[in-house]
Amino acid sequence: MKKLITILGILFATVVYADHENDFGQYYFQQVPSLCGSQNTINNYLIHYKFKPFNLSLGREGMDAEGNPVYMITYYVNEDKTESAAVIDVPDGRESCILFHTFDLTSPNQ
């Protein structure tokens, strides 16, 4: 019984990456650090750093333009346009996640 528990523990503690092949080539999922919290907490972070929403878009099921919406990305830029952040929200979710907060923002159109 002890061996079975040990084996199950090792199996469940192992990180698994799925490789996928498509017309674009091989790609894989990566663990990306993000900052998550209640929607109110994330909103307070954005206010503190003086971010304003710049644009938003929907992530759709199966990465298909006709798929059902499964998440929303809001892209933020700070007041002096030197920093950016992206926040992901899911329908009926109680939390949001900041996918990145970057600095030294430049635009190729400037």
Side-chain angles (χ1 to χ4, degrees):
M1 184 65 169
K2 199 172 190 179
K3 285 183 182 180
L4 178 62
I5 292 172
T6 303
I7 291 170
L8 288 175
I10 291 170
L11 287 175
F12 286 112
T14 303
V15 177
V16 176
Y17 293 98
D19 288 337
H20 298 277
E21 188 82 33
N22 65 16
D23 294 339
F24 307 116
Q26 189 173 19
Y27 60 91
Y28 58 92
F29 291 102
Q30 182 63 276
Q31 294 180 3
V32 176
S34 60
L35 180 65
C36 299
S38 70
Q39 290 176 338
N40 190 47
T41 299
I42 297 301
N43 191 48
N44 288 340
Y45 179 97
L46 296 167
I47 290 168
H48 176 79
Y49 288 100
K50 300 179 181 171
F51 279 109
K52 302 287 183 201
F54 183 75
N55 61 35
L56 59 90
S57 59
L58 294 176
R60 296 186 175 270
E61 201 169 58
M63 289 194 253
D64 182 345
E66 304 300 319
N68 292 323
V70 291
Y71 61 89
M72 181 175 71
I73 299 287
T74 307
Y75 185 76
Y76 293 86
V77 176
N78 70 340
E79 287 178 343
D80 61 1
K81 295 183 174 41
T82 59
E83 299 176 26
S84 67
V87 175
I88 186 169
D89 292 289
V90 294
D92 301 325
R94 288 186 236 140
E95 65 180 14
S96 298
C97 292
I98 298 173
L99 300 175
F100 59 80
H101 176 174
T102 63
F103 304 86
D104 306 316
L105 180 64
T106 59
S107 175
N109 298 325
Q110 292 179 352

